């Protein structure tokens, strides 16, 4: 459970109809509430008894991090009205915090019935392509934002361990706006898992290097996810399956649901990138040496999270350290009783 006053106070700071009312929380008090919310959500995420509970806590952590950046932008005098696609920023954050299941629902419709095997293969194709397209767009946005910064700063950021980031945040803590950015970073650290930072930093650094060399984002993401390889493996599993058609039919909506699971996470990751692009212009975050490094660390964490989360939804088994959902290949393997 989130702290009881967390959502009402956040609403008073961000909701257009309530902003500036006397019930609004003082920023310092709300920052403390946000930290308490992080601890609650991180605990729920770490102790989740099953995949649905873990997914809900993950979405809430993403939304809470986006809320911190939105508050920082508000304190800086900005007006965060919309994120990518024109979606209302506050509505997205509110949904992620209070009704995470709404962001995890399937968005793809099953293909017109042509046979259980063909429908399942179509669902695999739809889901893999939707995940690849969404991840490509989000990573592209993040890279575009990150590469406006000094590349040496990006190099430094991807080498930071969790303890180093915490020290930087303490150094920046005297600035109110930067403190909210720091709290968002702490939520991202909880989200990716500090034990996974080496992997996150490695893939973010690789992405920065590749794309600095003008490798197309779409090519990089496609190679990283290997959606074509997963599709071919899935097709072979379906063609080899000799069981009843009803098993294939039951699997189709589960495959389509994987896209919904990623889509909700991706919307919030995209919102985080949009918000980070705004708050990085705040004086405290433009001041060397630590301000830009914190911003760059935010980009690195979001890029790493987005890539590994996308891959988790495509093929859960390739990166065991980031196995949070049953991805497309895993669902096919388990349901059709084939070897991984």
């Amino acid at each position: 459970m989130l702290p009881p006053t967390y959502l009402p106070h956040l609403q008073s700071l961000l909701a257009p109809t309530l902003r500036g009312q006397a019930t609004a929380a003082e920023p310092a008090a709300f920052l403390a509430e946000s930290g308490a919310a992080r601890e609650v959500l991180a605990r729920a995420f770490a102790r989740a008894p099953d995949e649905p509970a873990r997914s809900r806590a993950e979405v809430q952590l993403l939304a809470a991090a986006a809320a911190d950046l939105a508050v920082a932008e508000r304190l800086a005098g900005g007006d965060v009205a919309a994120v990518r696609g024109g979606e209302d920023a506050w509505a997205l954050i509110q949904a992620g915090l209070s009704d995470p299941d709404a962001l995890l629902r399937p968005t793809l419709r099953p293909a017109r019935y042509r046979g259980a095997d063909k429908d399942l293969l179509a669902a695999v194709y739809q889901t893999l392509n939707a995940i690849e397209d969404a991840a490509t767009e989000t990573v592209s946005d993040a890279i575009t934002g990150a590469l406006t910064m000094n590349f040496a700063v990006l190099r430094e950021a991807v080498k930071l361990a969790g303890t180093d980031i915490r020290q930087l945040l303490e150094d920046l803590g005297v600035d109110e706006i930067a403190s909210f950015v720091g709290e968002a970073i702490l939520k991202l650290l909880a989200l990716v898992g500090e034990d996974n930072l080496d992997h996150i930093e490695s893939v973010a650094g690789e992405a920065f290097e590749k794309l600095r060399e003008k490798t197309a984002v779409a090519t990089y993401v496609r190679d990283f996810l290997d959606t074509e390889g997963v599709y071919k493996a899935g097709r072979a599993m379906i063609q080899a399956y000799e069981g009843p058609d009803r098993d294939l039919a039951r699997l189709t909506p589960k495959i389509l649901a994987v896209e919904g699971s990623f889509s909700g996470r991706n919307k919030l990751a995209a919102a985080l990138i949009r918000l980070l692009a705004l708050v990085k212009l705040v004086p405290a975050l433009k001041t060397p040496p630590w301000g830009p490094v914190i911003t760059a660390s935010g980009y690195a964490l979001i890029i790493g999270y987005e890539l590994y989360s996308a891959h988790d939804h495509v093929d859960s088994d390739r990166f065991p350290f980031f196995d949070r959902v049953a991805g497309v290949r895993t669902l096919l393997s388990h349901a059709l009783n084939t070897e991984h």
Side-chain angles (χ1 to χ4, degrees), residues 156-172 181-189 192 194 197 200-201 290 293-294 296-298 300-301:
E156 185 66 25
V158 297
K159 295 176 184 175
L160 290 175
T163 52
D164 296 320
I165 292 175
R166 281 194 167 81
Q167 184 59 55
L168 293 184
L169 296 178
E170 286 181 18
D171 293 342
L172 278 173
V181 177
E183 180 55 47
I185 298 291
L186 291 177
K187 288 182 176 71
L188 290 172
L189 282 172
V192 302
E194 290 190 35
L197 271 180
I200 296 295
E201 291 159 1
W290 305 132
V293 173
I294 285 296
S297 297
L301 288 168

Side-chain angles (χ1 to χ4, degrees), residues 281-313:
L281 303 176
V282 171
L285 296 174
K286 291 175 67 177
T287 304
W290 305 132
V293 173
I294 285 296
T295 302
S297 297
Y299 278 120
L301 288 168
I302 296 168
I303 289 168
Y305 170 81
E306 176 76 5
L307 286 169
Y308 281 121
S309 182
H311 200 289
D312 187 28
H313 285 79

Side-chain angles (χ1 to χ4, degrees), residues 19-340:
R19 200 180 310 142
Q21 289 190 5
T23 54
E26 289 297 319
F30 180 73
L31 182 63
E33 286 184 321
S34 185
R38 166 174 43 87
E39 292 176 2
V40 168
L41 293 174
R43 229 177 3 253
F45 178 62
R47 299 175 184 176
D50 52 34
E51 182 182 315
R54 186 165 54 248
S55 288
R56 285 192 290 271
E58 193 168 328
V59 165
Q60 287 181 303
L61 270 171
L62 282 164
D68 290 326
L69 294 184
V71 171
E73 174 62 9
R74 183 78 67 218
L75 293 174
D79 187 16
V80 182
V83 289
R84 192 172 71 197
E87 188 163 6
D88 180 75
W90 162 242
L92 179 61
I93 290 168
Q94 185 180 38
L97 289 168
S98 59
D99 188 14
D101 285 327
L103 291 180
L104 293 166
R105 291 181 188 129
T107 63
L108 295 176
R109 293 185 176 183
R112 190 173 177 179
Y113 186 75
R114 295 176 300 167
D117 56 342
K118 290 183 175 63
D119 287 354
L120 177 56
L121 187 58
V124 170
Y125 182 83
Q126 283 180 278
T127 298
L128 291 176
N129 277 277
I131 291 171
E132 182 182 309
D133 289 347
T136 298
E137 187 173 8
T138 297
V139 171
S140 179
D141 286 351
I143 291 292
T144 299
L147 291 184
T148 63
M149 305 181 70
N150 186 299
F151 197 73
V153 172
L154 295 178
R155 285 181 184 275
E156 185 66 25
V158 297
K159 295 176 184 175
L160 290 175
T163 52
D164 296 320
I165 292 175
R166 281 194 167 81
Q167 184 59 55
L168 293 184
L169 296 178
E170 286 181 18
D171 293 342
L172 278 173
V174 294
D175 184 273
E176 183 177 70
I177 297 172
S179 294
F180 276 98
V181 177
E183 180 55 47
I185 298 291
L186 291 177
K187 288 182 176 71
L188 290 172
L189 282 172
L191 187 70
V192 302
E194 290 190 35
D195 291 345
N196 297 332
L197 271 180
D198 285 348
H199 299 289
I200 296 295
E201 291 159 1
S202 175
V203 77
E206 180 184 71
F208 288 146
E209 291 285 356
K210 291 281 186 185
L211 300 169
R212 186 176 176 235
E213 295 166 4
K214 308 301 183 187
T215 301
V217 177
T219 300
Y220 176 75
V221 173
R222 185 180 304 117
D223 290 346
F224 182 82
L225 298 181
D226 189 27
T227 48
E228 184 178 353
V230 173
Y231 175 75
K232 289 178 178 177
R235 183 176 60 193
M237 292 180 207
I238 294 167
Q239 289 173 342
Y241 186 66
E242 297 178 350
D245 279 358
R246 67 175 179 272
D247 290 345
L248 302 180
R250 287 171 183 162
L251 186 54
T252 296
K254 294 180 181 178
I255 295 293
L256 293 172
V258 173
E259 186 277 335
S261 173
F262 180 70
S263 176
R265 290 165 166 85
N266 177 68
K267 283 182 180 179
L268 287 164
L272 280 163
I273 292 162
R274 165 71 175 154
L275 291 165
L276 191 59
L278 296 173
V279 298
K280 75 179 181 183
L281 303 176
V282 171
L285 296 174
K286 291 175 67 177
T287 304
W290 305 132
V293 173
I294 285 296
T295 302
S297 297
Y299 278 120
L301 288 168
I302 296 168
I303 289 168
Y305 170 81
E306 176 76 5
L307 286 169
Y308 281 121
S309 182
H311 200 289
D312 187 28
H313 285 79
V314 168
D315 181 1
S316 313
D317 299 325
R318 181 179 162 198
F319 298 115
F321 68 89
F322 209 99
D323 186 356
R324 300 178 176 185
V325 303
V328 171
R329 182 168 186 158
T330 304
L331 285 171
L332 289 168
S333 294
H334 290 176
L336 304 182
N337 295 315
T338 60
E339 293 296 325
H340 288 264

